[in-house]
Amino acid sequence: MRVFDTERQEWAGSRRERLFHPDQYLDVRRQKVVRQKTAIVLAVAGLAFGVWALAWKDEPEPYQNFTAARSDTKKDSSDGSGGGSESGGEGGTPSAEPSSSLPAGYEPWQDDEGFRVALPTGWERDSRSSQFGIDVVDYRSPDGIRRLQVFQVMETSPYESLQVARVEAQKLDGYEAVSLAEVPGDGNQAAEHEYRADEIAGEQGGGGARHVIDHRFTAADGERYALVAYGSDADGPDDERELVDTALRWFCPPGTQCETPEG
């Protein structure tokens, strides 16, 4: 039997319906409480979502290779500037410093990576991004047989860095060690690895054994760098020795003021 409930202002079901469906017959006061609690829960959930959304926006972006991006920017700017000079190609300019202390056919070079070095005139330059420090810069002779490589190393000492590099060098066909030792200097740490190999990745100029001098040192800025000279083993070690020694003498790290070497 259905009756009119004057308090709820609606028709109520039978007593059996009230027993089996009590949630449908809550009194008005309890319905108000339920609605209030529901509103509070929804408000708290909305606030929590808002906080999460703001926090999500503040999360750091995924890792980006800023070194590579910086390199691309430099390439774009150099492409729009009309090119560089003959020596080293784009990526730097010959220094205006006096060069009387340089061997014949050499000139100072101020690289776009910020360092100064000296190398033979007419060499071409290219570079690639590095996961540590400055870009890896390669200077090559016009015939592609000789090369000078400049880069920054991450190990805590030059000798430790060479020990790591030697592990890879020993995998080369025909690898033959000449020497690996620390080099006495003017207070800065230095070490050198000299070796021969039948072939070296990235080398141009075709067959024949290669001669390599890998010199790593601590520069005036306290950072560690490598100067690596590559050449043909057939013409003896003098060319690579002159290349490394001259580059080292004129080397000035990025962001550093260095005096011009005396004759």
Side-chain angles (χ1 to χ4, degrees):
M1 176 180 179
R2 295 172 60 83
V3 297
F4 186 80
D5 191 327
T6 57
E7 182 178 355
R8 295 170 56 199
Q9 291 298 304
E10 65 180 22
W11 289 96
S14 65
R15 181 174 182 274
R16 180 180 179 83
E17 289 177 337
R18 294 191 188 94
L19 289 176
F20 286 94
H21 303 284
D23 55 323
Q24 298 180 12
Y25 299 97
L26 296 173
D27 56 53
V28 175
R29 181 179 300 175
R30 291 180 63 190
Q31 289 185 29
K32 290 181 179 179
V33 171
V34 170
R35 286 195 294 269
Q36 290 174 351
K37 290 183 177 180
T38 302
I40 293 173
V41 170
L42 292 176
V44 171
L47 179 61
F49 177 81
V51 172
W52 172 83
L54 290 175
W56 177 78
K57 291 181 179 180
D58 292 336
E59 284 292 319
E61 295 181 357
Y63 169 79
Q64 297 180 9
N65 191 333
F66 293 104
T67 305
R70 179 191 57 178
S71 177
D72 292 340
T73 300
K74 287 185 295 188
K75 290 177 183 177
D76 292 341
S77 62
S78 62
D79 290 344
S81 64
S85 70
E86 178 185 7
S87 178
E90 297 179 356
T93 54
S95 173
E97 299 175 75
S99 57
S100 59
S101 63
L102 287 168
Y106 279 74
E107 67 179 348
W109 181 263
Q110 185 64 45
D111 197 272
D112 279 356
E113 285 300 305
F115 63 83
R116 182 193 68 189
V117 74
L119 63 147
T121 58
W123 281 30
E124 297 178 354
R125 177 195 185 276
D126 58 50
S127 65
R128 62 183 183 276
S129 62
S130 172
Q131 293 183 352
F132 179 81
I134 64 174
D135 287 357
V136 178
V137 179
D138 284 297
Y139 302 102
R140 296 181 186 271
S141 60
D143 58 10
I145 295 177
R146 301 176 65 202
R147 174 165 63 117
L148 176 67
Q149 188 176 75
V150 185
F151 57 93
Q152 192 171 346
V153 300
M154 63 184 296
E155 289 79 15
T156 57
S157 74
Y159 187 74
E160 178 189 354
S161 182
L162 281 179
Q163 287 179 311
V164 174
R166 181 179 60 173
V167 173
E168 296 302 317
Q170 289 174 328
K171 299 177 184 178
L172 297 171
D173 292 340
Y175 171 82
E176 178 187 354
V178 176
S179 64
L180 174 62
E182 293 185 298
V183 178
D186 56 358
N188 292 330
Q189 291 181 317
E192 193 170 275
H193 179 207
E194 184 177 359
Y195 62 93
R196 302 182 183 91
D198 290 342
E199 60 177 332
I200 297 175
E203 283 299 278
Q204 301 175 1
R210 310 293 290 163
H211 175 240
V212 182
I213 299 178
D214 187 343
H215 187 96
R216 307 194 179 195
F217 61 102
T218 302
D221 62 350
E223 300 292 337
R224 288 154 296 283
Y225 298 86
L227 296 170
V228 190
Y230 301 85
S232 172
D233 188 50
D235 58 6
D238 292 345
D239 289 345
E240 289 72 63
R241 173 54 59 192
E242 180 182 71
L243 194 57
V244 167
D245 289 350
T246 305
L248 180 63
R249 192 159 174 251
W250 279 80
F251 185 83
C252 185
T256 306
Q257 295 292 329
C258 302
E259 295 182 359
T260 301
E262 299 179 356

